[in-house]
C-alpha cells in the first residue's frame, strides 16, 4: 500500500510516498481503507523529529485522523461490518491506504458528509469537544475565549461552543481570519499583535466580567494574559503551544481567582481514553454534524502525492480550517 513516510527528520525533503506492506486486522481490530486523512501540527513536529510517536504506533508513518471504509475485521469485532463508513483518531499511521485500529475508537460517518468533509472532522472536533466540555465543563451562557480561532481546532471549538449557547470570543493574528470567523458565528474577537493587549480587549468585550473559559491553542506568552482575562472560577485548557512551551504563571492570581489550569493531549492517550473521547464525540457532536448545526471548515485538499506541498501550506499559517489529504484517488 502507499503511505507517507518520514525518511529523514528535518525539512519537507525528508517526506516521501512509499510502498509498504498492508497491515492485517486480528482480534478486536478493524482495518480501514482510508479515503482521506487530514494534516495536523503534530505531523510537522514529528517530521522535524521533535514529537516522536507514542509507543505502539509507527514511528515514521504520520497521520492522527482518517475517514474510510471498513475493509477487514478481526474475529472479536462485533460493532462494525465490511463497507461501513467510519472515522476516528489514532496515535499515528493514518496517512496510508490502510490503517488498523481498535473497534472502540471508530465512529460512524453521517450520510450527509462526503469523504473530504469526514476526513477534516475527527482530530479537530474530538479535541475541541473533549477540551471544552469534558474537561472545561463549558456551560450555556458562559463566555469563552478561543485563541487561534481560525485554526482547525479553533473553528470546531467555536461552532460547538456557540451551539451549546455560550458567548464565543476568539483571537487571531490576522484581520481576515477574524472576519471569516465572525461570518461563521464568532460573537466578537481580537486581532492580537501583542499578547498583553488581550486583557484590555477582553475587558471591553465582556464589560469587565472576564471570560469563564479559555481554550488556549497558542501557549507561550499568552499564559500571563489568560490568567488576567479569566473571571473568578475560570478554567484555562491548554491544547497547543505554537508560540512556545513556557510562560509566566502568577500563583497569586490563580489562587485569588480560584482558577483551574488544565493541560491536554489526545495522541498519547490510552486506547480506552481515546475510545471514551470518541464515544462522547459520537453522542454529542455527530448529531450536530448530521443536522448541519456544525460543519468541518476545509481550507485545502491535497492528493497524498503532494504531501510536501500540504506541509508547506500548514507551516505557513495561511490556512483557515483544515488541510485534508486525499489518500484514495
Ligand atoms: N492537545 C491535543 O491533543 C491537540 C490536538 C490537536 C491540535 N492540537 C494543537 O492545537 C493547536 C491548533 O491545532 P490546529 O491543527 O487546529 O492548528 P492550525 O489549523 O494549524 O492553526 C494554527 C494557528 O495558530 C496560529 N499561530 C501559529 N503560530 C502562532 C504564534 N507564534 N502565535 C500566535 N498564534 C500562532 C496561526 O493562526 P493565526 O494566523 O490566526 O495567528 C495558525 O494558523 C496547535 O497548537 C496544535 O498542535 C493539540
Amino acid at each position: 500500500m502507499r503511505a507517507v513516510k518520514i525518511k529523514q527528520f528535518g525539512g519537507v525533503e525528508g517526506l516521501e510516498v512509499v510502498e509498504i506492506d498492508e497491515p492485517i486486522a486480528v482480534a478486536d481490530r478493524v482495518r480501514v481503507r482510508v479515503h482521506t486523512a487530514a494534516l495536523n501540527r503534530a505531523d510537522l513536529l514529528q517530521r522535524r523529529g521533535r514529537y516522536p510517536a507514542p509507543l505502539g504506533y509507527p514511528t515514521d508513518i504520520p497521520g492522527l485522523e482518517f475517514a474510510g471504509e471498513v475493509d477487514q475485521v478481526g474475529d472479536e469485532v462485533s460493532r462494525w461490518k465490511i463497507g461501513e463508513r467510519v472515522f476516528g483518531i489514532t496515535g499515528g499511521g493514518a496517512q496510508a491506504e490502510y490503517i488498523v485500529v481498535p473497534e472502540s475508537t471508530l465512529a460512524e460517518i453521517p450520510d450527509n458528509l462526503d469523504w473530504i468533509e469526514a476526513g477534516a472532522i475527527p482530530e479537530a472536533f474530538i479535541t475541541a469537544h473533549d477540551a471544552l466540555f469534558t474537561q472545561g465543563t463549558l456551560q450555556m451562557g458562559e463566555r469563552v475565549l478561543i485563541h487561534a480561532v481560525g485554526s482547525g481546532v479553533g473553528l470546531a471549538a467555536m461552532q460547538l461552543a456557540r451551539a451549546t449557547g455560550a458567548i464565543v470570543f476568539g483571537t487571531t493574528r490576522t484581520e481576515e481570519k477574524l472576519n471569516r470567523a465572525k461570518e461563521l458565528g464568532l460573537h466578537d474577537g481580537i486581532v492580537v499583535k501583542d499578547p498583553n493587549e488581550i486583557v484590555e480587549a477582553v475587558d471591553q468585550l465582556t464589560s469587565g466580567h472576564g471570560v469563564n473559559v479559555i481554550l488556549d491553542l497558542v501557549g507561550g506568552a499568552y499564559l500571563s494574559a489568560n490568567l488576567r482575562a479569566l473571571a473568578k472560577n475560570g478554567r484555562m485548557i491548554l491544547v497547543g503551544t505554537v508560540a512556545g512551551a513556557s510562560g509566566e504563571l502568577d500563583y497569586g492570581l490563580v489562587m485569588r481567582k480560584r482558577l483551574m489550569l488544565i493541560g491536554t493531549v489526545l495522541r498519547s492517550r490510552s486506547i480506552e481514553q481515546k475510545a471514551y473521547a470518541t464515544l462522547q464525540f459520537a453522542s454529542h457532536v455527530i448529531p450536530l454534524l448530521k443536522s448541519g448545526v456544525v460543519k468541518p471548515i476545509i481550507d485545502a485538499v491535497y492528493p497524498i502525492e503532494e504531501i510536501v506541498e500540504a506541509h508547506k501550506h500548514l507551516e505557513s499559517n495561511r490556512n483557515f480550517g483544515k488541510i485534508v489529504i486525499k489518500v484514495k484517488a
Side-chain angles (χ1 to χ4, degrees):
M1 67 168 181
R2 282 176 318 144
V4 174
K5 187 175 166 80
I6 303 168
K7 287 197 125 179
Q8 193 190 319
F9 291 131
V12 288
E13 62 284 353
L15 292 171
E16 220 175 299
V17 178
V18 296
E19 278 292 329
I20 56 171
D21 291 342
E22 285 167 17
I24 289 166
V26 295
D28 70 339
R29 299 304 202 247
V30 172
R31 187 168 79 179
V32 177
R33 170 73 168 100
V34 176
H35 284 243
T36 49
L39 198 62
N40 283 282
R41 292 263 148 184
D43 303 330
L44 307 184
L45 289 176
Q46 189 174 352
R47 186 202 78 213
R48 291 188 205 124
R50 287 177 32 210
Y51 195 33
L55 210 63
Y57 295 96
T59 54
D60 54 355
I61 314 289
L64 299 181
E65 57 185 324
F66 56 88
E69 279 166 87
V70 173
D71 164 81
Q72 189 183 66
V73 291
D75 56 7
E76 292 168 23
V77 169
S78 57
R79 167 80 176 81
W80 302 107
K81 292 191 190 64
I82 308 286
E84 284 180 318
R85 283 166 26 103
V86 290
F87 53 1
I89 54 168
T90 178
Q95 288 162 17
E97 285 182 289
Y98 295 91
I99 185 166
V100 168
V101 292
E103 68 163 335
S104 59
T105 60
L106 290 170
E108 190 176 1
I109 300 172
D111 290 340
N112 60 318
L113 298 174
D114 64 24
W115 291 118
I116 305 283
E117 291 167 322
I121 288 171
E123 183 76 13
F125 278 89
I126 296 176
T127 300
H129 180 266
D130 179 81
L132 277 184
F133 298 98
T134 308
Q135 303 201 56
T137 62
L138 179 67
Q139 307 287 322
M140 182 189 289
E142 285 195 312
R143 296 174 297 277
V144 56
L145 177 66
I146 300 166
H147 290 317
V149 71
S151 64
V153 177
L155 291 167
M158 178 194 86
Q159 296 179 75
L160 292 175
R162 212 193 140 113
T164 212
I167 299 149
V168 194
F169 304 112
T171 67
T172 158
R173 294 173 302 170
T174 72
E175 192 85 42
E176 190 210 335
K177 286 188 189 176
L178 181 61
N179 291 336
R180 290 179 71 182
K182 280 187 187 167
E183 280 163 23
L184 291 170
L186 186 73
H187 287 107
D188 216 332
I190 308 160
V191 178
V192 178
K193 299 292 172 211
D194 172 348
N196 287 311
E197 297 162 4
I198 294 170
V199 185
E200 201 187 316
V202 167
D203 210 48
Q204 280 177 13
L205 289 172
T206 64
S207 308
H209 291 102
V211 286
N212 307 102
V213 172
I214 294 180
L215 186 71
D216 191 354
L217 308 178
V218 171
Y222 281 47
L223 173 62
S224 158
N226 288 346
L227 302 184
R228 287 180 282 150
L230 279 168
K232 285 205 172 108
N233 297 309
R235 290 89 74 198
M236 174 192 133
I237 305 104
L238 178 65
V239 177
T241 54
V242 276
S246 59
E248 196 182 311
L249 181 79
D250 181 339
Y251 287 129
L253 212 48
V254 175
M255 290 160 77
R256 281 195 304 281
K257 288 190 181 176
R258 301 187 298 282
L259 303 178
M260 282 179 71
L261 308 187
I262 303 165
T264 183
V265 283
L266 275 186
R267 184 166 88 142
S268 55
R269 286 193 202 174
S270 67
I271 288 168
E272 291 72 23
Q273 289 165 335
K274 285 193 180 89
Y276 178 75
T278 305
L279 195 63
Q280 296 305 311
F281 158 79
S283 310
H284 301 287
V285 180
I286 288 185
L288 300 177
L289 287 162
K290 257 187 194 162
S291 59
V293 171
V294 302
K295 59 182 186 188
I297 308 299
I298 296 154
D299 184 78
V301 183
Y302 289 89
I304 191 171
E305 294 76 19
E306 292 177 23
I307 189 67
V308 165
E309 292 311 311
H311 272 236
K312 285 183 186 167
H313 188 150
L314 191 68
E315 224 150 26
S316 75
N317 291 320
R318 277 184 288 121
N319 64 299
F320 180 81
K322 295 289 293 184
I323 295 176
V324 176
I325 307 299
K326 219 170 157 203
V327 177
K328 186 170 187 284

